[in-house]
Amino acid sequence: MEEAIIIMARTIFLYVMIVIIFRLMGKREIGELSILDLVVFLMIAEMGVMAIENTEDPLIHTVIPMFLLLGIQIGLAYLSLKNQKVRKLLDGKPTIIIDRGKINEHAMKTQRYNFDDLLIQLREKDINDISEVDFAILEPSGKLSVIKKEHEHEHEHQELQLPLIIDGLIQEENLFRIGKTNLWLRQQLRDLGYIDLKNISLCTHNKGAFFIDLTDEK
């Protein structure tokens, strides 16, 4: 009876503590978890189970590693927020699987993503005909984002709205993908009155128009 009470008390304590830790890590949908998030969540969950089963082991032996993981996770989240290279390293980056109606088989191979995966995820979005798709982007979370062709312009492809500037840094790869250059972007932004690109937190281009968001002043 005494052991049962101890197990119940440890279960309630760990349940509350794990909920608090997950809240402190930030709100993200389960389907949007990065590999790093998933590893940390699994480790904390396993620690909780072991702590409940091993009633003779002091709870402090579980609490310390849990809060250490919390500190690491918050620290890495802060670094990824401030540094795009760290963010790409930790979370990965989107991969274009279908580009202007053409399947990029090389990109699929690098992601170990096969045609069955593609067709399944397209069907989940009620798309039965690949010819309807203009762009399909495999997100770092494994989710497939799809942009369908505009029916009135079936033979004209849309321009994929890629970020050209993130956190003040020009995205050369995305510029190349839309057939533009660094010089072109700087000239366009200069004409719009944006001289210092470091002040731009996000810049995208679609159908000849720019969307520009400036870094919040502190």
Side-chain angles (χ1 to χ4, degrees), residues 95-104 130-137 145-150 153-162 164 173-180 205-207:
T95 302
I96 299 178
I97 301 298
I98 299 179
D99 189 349
R100 298 179 179 88
K102 175 72 173 64
I103 297 176
N104 187 336
I130 295 183
S131 64
E132 298 178 7
V133 179
D134 214 355
F135 293 96
I137 302 98
S145 299
V146 177
I147 300 174
K148 298 177 69 174
K149 293 179 180 178
E150 297 179 352
H153 304 292
E154 288 187 355
H155 300 292
E156 295 182 12
H157 294 291
Q158 303 180 62
E159 179 182 328
L160 184 59
Q161 189 168 336
L162 298 170
L164 303 183
E173 182 180 344
N174 292 342
L175 273 174
F176 176 78
R177 185 174 294 280
I178 66 173
K180 303 297 182 181
H205 182 262
N206 190 30
K207 296 180 180 179

Side-chain angles (χ1 to χ4, degrees), residues 42-59:
L42 289 175
M43 288 182 67
I44 290 178
E46 183 66 19
M47 288 178 188
V49 172
M50 293 177 63
I52 293 171
E53 293 178 346
N54 301 326
T55 55
E56 296 181 1
D57 187 35
L59 277 175

Side-chain angles (χ1 to χ4, degrees), residues 9-207:
R10 290 168 75 98
T11 300
I12 294 171
F13 173 78
L14 289 167
Y15 169 78
V16 173
M17 191 179 70
I18 291 174
V19 168
I20 292 173
I21 289 175
F22 285 179
R23 286 294 187 188
L24 291 174
M25 285 183 181
K27 295 182 179 180
R28 296 184 77 171
E29 294 181 15
I30 296 299
E32 303 299 327
L33 294 179
S34 67
I35 296 298
L36 189 65
D37 294 328
L38 187 58
V39 169
V40 171
F41 283 16
L42 289 175
M43 288 182 67
I44 290 178
E46 183 66 19
M47 288 178 188
V49 172
M50 293 177 63
I52 293 171
E53 293 178 346
N54 301 326
T55 55
E56 296 181 1
D57 187 35
L59 277 175
I60 192 67
H61 292 171
T62 299
V63 172
I64 291 176
M66 282 185 175
F67 276 95
L68 177 60
L69 286 174
L70 171 62
I72 293 173
Q73 184 76 343
I74 291 177
L76 290 176
Y78 178 79
L79 285 176
S80 66
L81 183 65
K82 297 296 183 179
N83 191 303
Q84 187 185 12
K85 291 182 179 179
V86 174
R87 185 160 61 244
K88 286 184 177 180
L89 179 64
L90 296 177
D91 294 337
K93 61 180 182 178
T95 302
I96 299 178
I97 301 298
I98 299 179
D99 189 349
R100 298 179 179 88
K102 175 72 173 64
I103 297 176
N104 187 336
E105 295 181 20
H106 175 71
M108 292 178 65
K109 289 178 181 178
T110 59
Q111 297 298 317
R112 297 177 180 82
Y113 187 79
N114 58 51
F115 284 100
D116 288 332
D117 296 328
L118 176 61
L119 294 174
I120 288 171
Q121 290 193 293
L122 288 176
R123 285 196 295 270
E124 288 175 347
K125 296 182 177 296
D126 297 324
I127 298 175
N128 191 43
D129 188 352
I130 295 183
S131 64
E132 298 178 7
V133 179
D134 214 355
F135 293 96
I137 302 98
L138 186 63
E139 307 293 354
S141 64
K143 178 182 177 182
L144 189 71
S145 299
V146 177
I147 300 174
K148 298 177 69 174
K149 293 179 180 178
E150 297 179 352
H151 293 294
E152 61 270 23
H153 304 292
E154 288 187 355
H155 300 292
E156 295 182 12
H157 294 291
Q158 303 180 62
E159 179 182 328
L160 184 59
Q161 189 168 336
L162 298 170
L164 303 183
I165 296 177
I166 297 178
D167 295 334
L169 299 176
I170 295 177
Q171 308 299 298
E172 301 286 354
E173 182 180 344
N174 292 342
L175 273 174
F176 176 78
R177 185 174 294 280
I178 66 173
K180 303 297 182 181
T181 65
N182 188 305
L183 179 60
W184 171 85
L185 178 61
R186 290 179 181 276
Q187 289 177 338
Q188 293 291 318
L189 294 178
R190 189 178 295 112
D191 292 342
L192 293 173
Y194 300 98
I195 308 299
D196 189 356
L197 302 189
K198 292 181 179 180
N199 293 329
I200 298 176
S201 59
L202 178 65
C203 171
T204 62
H205 182 262
N206 190 30
K207 296 180 180 179

